[in-house]
Amino acid sequence: FLQEHEAGKLAVCDFTHPKSLIQVTIKGKVLTHIFFHLRLVFSGLSYVEVFEGSGESFEKFAKGLNAGLLFMGGTPKELRTDSMSAAFKNLNKDESEDQTVRYRAVLDHYGIEGKRINRGKSHENGSIESSHRHFKEHLKNSLIVRGTSDFSSIEDYQRFIQKVVDERNKELGQARLETERQALGPLPTTQALDYSEQIAIVSSTSTIQVKRVTYSVPSRLIG
């Protein structure tokens, strides 16, 4: 059934993997990466950010959302996602009770209501899933035209991705895009926190464990 979406009301976001379609290197080293994709449903305006690693963490979600809303120039009334672990504990059918504390704090910071599609019903997120495919196909073709998939840094790669996204956004109807932007809520003066804090005890070998990864620190911090 045809749906008529309200300007400024709904945004959708999701992580998507490049898989074998897109292979990129940084100074010759293969980059394992994932894309965060944010899209306004009424106008189709999109923002994409690349993150190193294949995990879908809260920090990646929050950082991507902060940058995406800044790029769009305002806040929608609702944000719809799937049951991504960065946002939901996936223990309760009631989405308002199932949201993680950090995810809810980010949405409250922007005054956005969180929505979730039904589990196992990916077609309900069609507004972002189909856009994933088009973006990755456009990126693959742009890399072919560029002549190389090697970049000097992940920041350099992000700038290239932004150019690809800008080209796609230029194809949108400008009148519809302007209507959407005028309907968005104002951005707060500060961005939401996009990091997490953890207390780590420095061992006698001058190391700490953070998310099962060992880091060395100055010996004066032992204990």
Side-chain angles (χ1 to χ4, degrees), residues 179-198:
T179 298
E180 174 112 271
R181 278 187 156 148
Q182 289 180 358
L184 293 173
L187 289 168
T189 55
T190 59
Q191 293 188 331
L193 294 183
D194 57 7
Y195 61 87
S196 59
E197 296 181 346
Q198 181 173 329

Side-chain angles (χ1 to χ4, degrees), residues 6 30-31 125 145 156 171 174:
E6 177 186 335
V30 174
L31 176 68
N125 222 18
V145 172
D156 187 27
E171 298 173 0
Q174 291 303 306

Side-chain angles (χ1 to χ4, degrees), residues 28 79 94 137:
L79 178 68
D94 183 348
E137 188 66 32

